[in-house]
């Protein structure tokens, strides 16, 4: 009986991972007509930042929030790294230095949207990070409507659509995190109440 339970559990996890990887591979950018009030990008790579700033330039949102910025990174450094003029940064880009993980990103995003009266946001992050980001956003009270805008890191996917070895490892790790988030949300577990206000300790968003 114990062996059956182990095998069944393993089959469930393998099947769930296969569906997760397939869903991530199938993600695509929303149509240009998916206009939103604002744009939020979760830090973790220059590719994400460039895409988010490009969407801002195109008028896909009125303001951009960069959530999870390293405290040692200035607005000027972001402008240089993304070839963006400071006028655009000063005008329409807000930097969030508080979020240290995806939970923090979700909380900062909801607060920012509330402050600006935004009801619909484009969420820019890596494709593998979209499922967990949506779960965390959905777990925040009064969160705005989120339209995912996935960015596919080239080093994680082969030309035939299959993940690279690095991509496979990353997908497995991310799937485990998604399962942990689902378990936490389903039980109503409050990490901060357990002394885990971990998004306020040193670290970076993922």
């Amino acid at each position: 009986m114990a062996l059956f339970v182990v095998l069944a559990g393993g089959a469930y996890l393998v099947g769930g991972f296969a569906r997760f990887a397939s869903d991530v591979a199938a993600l695509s950018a929303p149509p240009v007509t998916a206009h939103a009030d604002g744009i939020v990008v979760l830090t973790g790579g220059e590719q994400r930042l460039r895409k988010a700033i490009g969407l801002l330039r195109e008028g896909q949102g009125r303001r951009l929030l960069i959530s999870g910025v390293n405290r040692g990174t200035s607005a000027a450094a972001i402008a240089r790294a993304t070839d963006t003029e400071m006028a655009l940064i000063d005008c329409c880009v807000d930097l969030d230095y508080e979020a240290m993980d995806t939970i923090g990103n979700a909380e900062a995003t909801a607060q920012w949207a509330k402050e600006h009266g935004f009801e619909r946001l484009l969420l820019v992050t890596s494709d593998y990070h979209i499922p967990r980001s949506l779960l965390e956003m959905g777990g925040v009270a009064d969160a705005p409507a989120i339209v995912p805008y996935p960015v596919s890191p080239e080093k994680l996917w082969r030309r035939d659509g299959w993940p690279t070895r690095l991509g496979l490892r990353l997908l497995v790790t991310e799937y485990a995190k998604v399962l942990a988030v689902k378990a936490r949300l389903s039980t109503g577990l409050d990490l901060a109440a357990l002394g885990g206000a971990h998004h306020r300790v040193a670290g970076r968003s993922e």
Side-chain angles (χ1 to χ4, degrees):
M1 182 62 179
L3 178 60
F4 174 78
V5 171
V6 171
L7 291 176
Y12 174 81
L13 290 176
V14 171
F17 172 72
R19 288 191 298 273
F20 170 77
S22 177
D23 289 345
V24 170
L27 286 171
S28 60
V32 177
T33 54
H35 180 80
D37 300 315
I39 305 163
V40 58
V41 58
L42 310 187
T43 57
E46 186 178 307
Q47 186 181 6
R48 301 184 192 179
L49 292 176
R50 288 183 178 275
K51 175 55 67 175
I53 290 174
L55 291 170
L56 180 66
R57 289 184 187 280
E58 295 169 8
Q60 293 299 311
R62 299 197 296 273
R63 295 192 68 83
L64 166 65
L65 171 68
I66 304 177
S67 180
V69 180
N70 188 297
R71 290 186 179 276
T73 302
S74 65
I78 290 176
R80 289 194 298 272
T82 58
D83 297 319
T84 304
E85 62 276 17
M86 279 303 299
L88 181 63
I89 300 290
D90 291 338
C91 157
C92 308
V93 178
D94 299 307
L95 306 183
D96 158 43
Y97 290 99
E98 297 301 319
M100 297 296 171
D101 57 17
T102 308
I103 301 175
N105 292 143
E107 294 172 346
T109 297
Q111 181 62 37
W112 178 75
K114 182 178 180 180
E115 290 174 355
H116 292 282
F118 292 164
E119 298 181 353
R120 180 180 169 90
L121 303 179
L122 282 177
L123 170 65
V124 181
T125 189
S126 295
D127 52 9
Y128 64 85
H129 193 212
I130 288 289
R132 183 157 58 100
S133 299
L134 293 178
L135 284 172
E136 296 291 17
M137 295 289 179
V140 175
D142 301 322
I146 298 294
V147 179
Y149 199 106
V151 175
S152 298
E154 294 181 0
K155 63 181 179 180
L156 302 183
W157 299 97
R158 302 186 328 201
R159 291 185 177 180
D160 59 7
W162 288 88
T164 61
R165 184 174 301 179
L166 172 62
L168 182 60
R169 289 201 301 268
L170 183 56
L171 285 170
V172 169
T173 300
E174 190 64 22
Y175 177 60
K177 292 180 179 180
V178 166
L179 292 180
V181 172
K182 288 182 176 180
R184 191 190 81 240
L185 294 176
S186 66
T187 58
L189 181 61
D190 187 344
L191 293 178
L194 296 176
H198 55 292
H199 56 275
R200 291 193 291 271
V201 299
R204 290 296 305 275
S205 299
E206 299 180 35

